[in-house]
Amino acid sequence: MPAPDLDAIVSLAKRRGFVFPSAEIYGGFANAYDYGPLGVELKRNIREAWWRALVRERDDVVGLDAAMLTNPEVWVASGHTETFHDPLVDCRACRRRFRPDHIEEGQYGEAARDDEGRWRCPNCGGELTEPRLFNLMFRTEVGAVAGEGATAYLPPETAQGMFVNFKGVKDAMRRKLPFGIAQARVSFRNEITPGRFVFRTLEFEQMEMEYFCRPESAAGWHRYWIDERLRWYEEVIGIDPARLRVRAHEPEELSHYSAGTSDIEYRFPWGWGELEGIANRTDYDLRAHAEHSGQDLSYFDEETGERFTPYVIEPAAGLTRTLAVAMLEAYAVEPDENGRDRTVLRFPAAIAPVKVAVLPLSKKPALTPMARRVHQLIRPFWMTQYDETQSIGRRYRRQDEIGTPLCVTVDFATLEDEAVTIRERDSQAQTRVPIAGLVDALAERLPGVR
Ligand code: ATP
C-alpha cells in the first residue's frame, strides 16, 4: 500500500481533532502545533508503548524524569553551548534564513544558482550571505528580577538528564552494567527549517534511553538496539518494513561524541527522513561531566576489580515524528460495507486514541439508559467514546476515520435479549454478544490492550 500524501493527513488531523496549527486564531506560529483531544491520546499511547517496551518489560532499564530548567553547566559540559550549531545563510533581500544543506536537498523547493554556481534564495531568488553558525538552544532567565537572573536553557534533548543522574540512579537502584536509563519528555530547538507538519517543530517530544555498558561490549549492544528498535516500529507502530531502513552515518556526518551512529529512517512522502538515531556515544558524556563537575562518574566492577568509565549506546527517538508516521501508515481509503468509500485509520489497537465506541442505534429515549449502562460497563477498561448523533452509518464512518478498532451497537432488540453487536473496524464484521459477556468479548479482540 503506498503511503498517502501529507495533505490528506494534515487535513484529517485538523478536522478530527488530532493536531491543530498552534494558535490558529492568531494566524498560527511557524513550526508549532497543538495536540487536540485525539492527538493527545495517540501521543500518550505511543509514549506508553515505548515505555512498556523499554522500561516495564525489561529488567535492565529504569525510568527518569529530570528537570528541564537546570544548571547551565550541564550544557557547557555536554558541548551544547559550544557546538550545537547549524550553519545558516540569510537572504540579503527578503531576510529569510536557511540551512545550506537543505537548500541543496530541495527541502525549500527548487532553488536556482547564480553564474558562479552559488545558491540563490529559494524564496525570492535574492543573494545569500556566507554561512554563519547559529545556536539551536533557547535561552531564558531564572530569577525574579529581569537582567539579574542566571541564564538557563530549554533542553534541546533529554540525554543529559541521564548522564548527570548516572551515579544517583546506579547507587539508588543498585545497578550493575549493563543497564539503561530512559526518559520521554519535551525538547526544544530553535529550528528554522520550514517544518512539514509535526516532522520538525520548535518544541517536540523525544523518547531516549542511555544504555551503559562495558567498552568492549558497546559495538554488540549497538547492533542489538538497532534491531530492537526497528522491530518496535514494525510490530508496535505497525510500519510497513518496505518504508523503513537503517542508514549508518558516514564518518564526516558523525556527531563529535559518536563512534558510530545509525539512523532508523522512514520513507516520508517527500523522501527518506530520520525517525530515530542510535549512537555509540562512547564514554564521552560521562567523562565530560566527570571532568567538568569534578565528581567521580566511573564504575567499579566488583567481579573483575576494574574501574572504568562505561560506554553508552543511545537510541534517541522522536515521539511527535513517530505520531505523524503512525497516521501516515494507518491511513487508507477503501470501500465500506455498502461499497462506498470510507477513510480509515488502521492503527494497531494499542495506539488507537479510542478503543471502543458505544453507539445506540438511534437517539430514541427508549435506548439511552441501556446504551449508557453498556458504556459504564466498559469504561473502566478502555478509552471509550459515546456517540448518538446522526445515522449509524455516519457514526461508523466517523469512528473508522479516527481509527477506533471496535464499535458496540445497542439496538431495540437489546432491550429484549440483553445482547449487543460488536462491529470490527478492519473486517467490518459484526457479531452479536450477550452484555454479560461483553467485556470478555472485547478483551478477546483487544489482546494486551489497555
Ligand atoms: P534531524 O537531522 O532531523 O534534525 P537530529 O539528528 O538532529 O534530527 P537527534 O538529535 O538524533 O535528531 O534527535 C533524535 C530524534 O528526535 C530524531 O530522530 C527525531 O525523531 C526527533 N527530533 C529531532 N529534532 C526534532 C524536531 N525539531 N522536531 C521533531 N522531532 C525532532
Side-chain angles (χ1 to χ4, degrees), residues 99 189 191 198-201 204 206 274-277 316-318 320-321:
R99 263 174 66 167
R189 293 184 192 176
E191 301 274 12
V198 296
F199 178 75
R200 188 182 301 285
T201 48
F204 54 98
Q206 289 187 306
E274 175 181 335
L275 266 185
E276 170 158 350
T320 34
R321 232 178 241 188

Side-chain angles (χ1 to χ4, degrees), residues 31 80 84 86 99 102 107 136 156-157 187-191 193 197-208 233 249 255 257 261 263-264 273-278 281 314-322:
N31 295 348
H80 280 86
F84 197 52
D86 270 347
R99 263 174 66 167
H102 288 173
Q107 289 211 20
L136 291 178
E157 59 169 36
S187 294
F188 302 85
R189 293 184 192 176
N190 200 351
E191 301 274 12
T193 309
F197 191 43
V198 296
F199 178 75
R200 188 182 301 285
T201 48
L202 300 176
E203 154 182 355
F204 54 98
E205 282 185 57
Q206 289 187 306
M207 307 181 290
E208 296 191 305
Y233 285 106
H249 283 205
S255 308
Y257 52 73
T261 298
D263 289 343
I264 296 182
E274 175 181 335
L275 266 185
E276 170 158 350
I278 301 160
R281 297 181 71 125
E314 174 195 76
L319 168 55
T320 34
R321 232 178 241 188
T322 302

Side-chain angles (χ1 to χ4, degrees), residues 53-78:
L54 269 86
V55 179
R56 274 207 249 149
E57 290 176 356
R58 298 187 67 102
D59 297 327
D60 55 351
V61 182
V62 291
L64 181 76
D65 189 1
M68 286 201 243
L69 293 176
T70 185
N71 194 316
E73 291 303 316
V74 169
W75 307 111
V76 179
S78 70

Side-chain angles (χ1 to χ4, degrees), residues 431-447:
T431 320
R432 194 102 183 139
V433 299
I435 293 174
L438 178 60
V439 169
D440 287 344
L442 293 172
E444 214 172 275
R445 291 163 173 79
L446 296 169

Side-chain angles (χ1 to χ4, degrees), residues 46-220:
I46 297 173
R47 194 193 300 114
E48 280 194 0
W50 180 86
W51 193 261
R52 206 175 305 137
L54 269 86
V55 179
R56 274 207 249 149
E57 290 176 356
R58 298 187 67 102
D59 297 327
D60 55 351
V61 182
V62 291
L64 181 76
D65 189 1
M68 286 201 243
L69 293 176
T70 185
N71 194 316
E73 291 303 316
V74 169
W75 307 111
V76 179
S78 70
H80 280 86
T81 45
E82 275 300 307
T83 58
F84 197 52
H85 297 284
D86 270 347
L88 302 174
V89 292
D90 292 323
C91 173
R92 294 189 201 276
C94 74
R95 305 259 157 232
R96 296 244 177 123
R97 194 167 259 178
F98 306 95
R99 263 174 66 167
D101 53 331
H102 288 173
I103 296 182
E104 278 175 44
E105 288 164 12
Q107 289 211 20
Y108 307 100
E110 283 285 309
R113 293 175 196 251
D114 64 16
D115 297 342
E116 290 169 38
R118 288 176 307 208
W119 289 103
R120 308 291 299 193
C121 170
N123 180 47
C124 73
E127 190 190 333
L128 297 171
T129 61
E130 288 300 312
R132 286 180 296 203
L133 291 178
F134 184 83
N135 198 293
L136 291 178
M137 277 200 294
F138 286 104
R139 210 173 291 174
T140 188
E141 241 169 58
V142 178
V145 184
E148 291 181 6
T151 299
Y153 297 93
L154 299 187
E157 59 169 36
T158 76
Q160 300 307 320
M162 281 77 105
F163 299 129
V164 299
N165 285 291
F166 166 71
K167 191 169 181 308
V169 171
K170 171 176 72 68
D171 294 346
M173 308 306 288
R174 295 181 297 113
R175 287 286 146 170
K176 290 197 179 4
L177 294 184
F179 76 94
I181 310 178
Q183 175 165 227
R185 205 198 50 194
V186 180
S187 294
F188 302 85
R189 293 184 192 176
N190 200 351
E191 301 274 12
I192 54 102
T193 309
R196 287 187 167 99
F197 191 43
V198 296
F199 178 75
R200 188 182 301 285
T201 48
L202 300 176
E203 154 182 355
F204 54 98
E205 282 185 57
Q206 289 187 306
M207 307 181 290
E208 296 191 305
M209 196 267 288
E210 308 302 323
Y211 198 75
F212 301 95
C213 60
R214 295 184 61 94
E216 66 276 13
S217 67

Side-chain angles (χ1 to χ4, degrees), residues 160-365:
Q160 300 307 320
M162 281 77 105
F163 299 129
V164 299
N165 285 291
F166 166 71
K167 191 169 181 308
V169 171
K170 171 176 72 68
D171 294 346
M173 308 306 288
R174 295 181 297 113
R175 287 286 146 170
K176 290 197 179 4
L177 294 184
F179 76 94
I181 310 178
Q183 175 165 227
R185 205 198 50 194
V186 180
S187 294
F188 302 85
R189 293 184 192 176
N190 200 351
E191 301 274 12
I192 54 102
T193 309
R196 287 187 167 99
F197 191 43
V198 296
F199 178 75
R200 188 182 301 285
T201 48
L202 300 176
E203 154 182 355
F204 54 98
E205 282 185 57
Q206 289 187 306
M207 307 181 290
E208 296 191 305
M209 196 267 288
E210 308 302 323
Y211 198 75
F212 301 95
C213 60
R214 295 184 61 94
E216 66 276 13
S217 67
W221 283 117
H222 193 205
R223 279 191 300 277
Y224 168 86
W225 281 110
I226 294 169
D227 293 344
E228 275 296 293
R229 297 300 303 141
L230 195 58
R231 200 161 55 83
W232 186 83
Y233 285 106
E234 290 173 14
E235 289 177 9
V236 179
I237 307 300
I239 304 180
D240 182 342
R243 280 190 288 277
L244 282 172
R245 74 173 185 194
V246 175
R247 188 183 67 84
H249 283 205
E250 301 294 337
E252 61 274 13
E253 226 186 313
L254 288 177
S255 308
H256 58 285
Y257 52 73
S258 175
T261 298
S262 287
D263 289 343
I264 296 182
E265 294 189 334
Y266 176 74
R267 205 170 70 212
F268 286 92
W270 60 87
W272 291 98
E274 175 181 335
L275 266 185
E276 170 158 350
I278 301 160
N280 177 352
R281 297 181 71 125
T282 68
D283 56 2
Y284 176 88
D285 305 273
L286 287 180
R287 267 186 194 284
H289 283 296
E291 273 166 33
H292 209 79
S293 66
Q295 305 284 319
D296 179 10
L297 300 181
S298 65
Y299 178 85
F300 181 69
D301 191 321
E302 284 168 12
E303 276 162 35
T304 63
E306 294 165 272
R307 182 170 285 284
F308 57 89
T309 306
Y311 267 41
V312 177
I313 303 302
E314 174 195 76
L319 168 55
T320 34
R321 232 178 241 188
T322 302
L323 176 142
V325 170
M327 293 191 77
L328 281 163
E329 282 293 306
Y331 184 90
V333 178
E334 58 183 31
D336 68 8
E337 51 267 86
N338 303 315
R340 278 183 236 123
D341 270 358
R342 68 163 183 166
T343 301
V344 55
L345 287 178
R346 290 179 177 270
F347 288 129
I351 65 169
V354 177
K355 316 297 185 201
V356 185
V358 176
L359 314 173
L361 189 66
S362 82
K363 217 177 161 179
K364 294 259 161 54

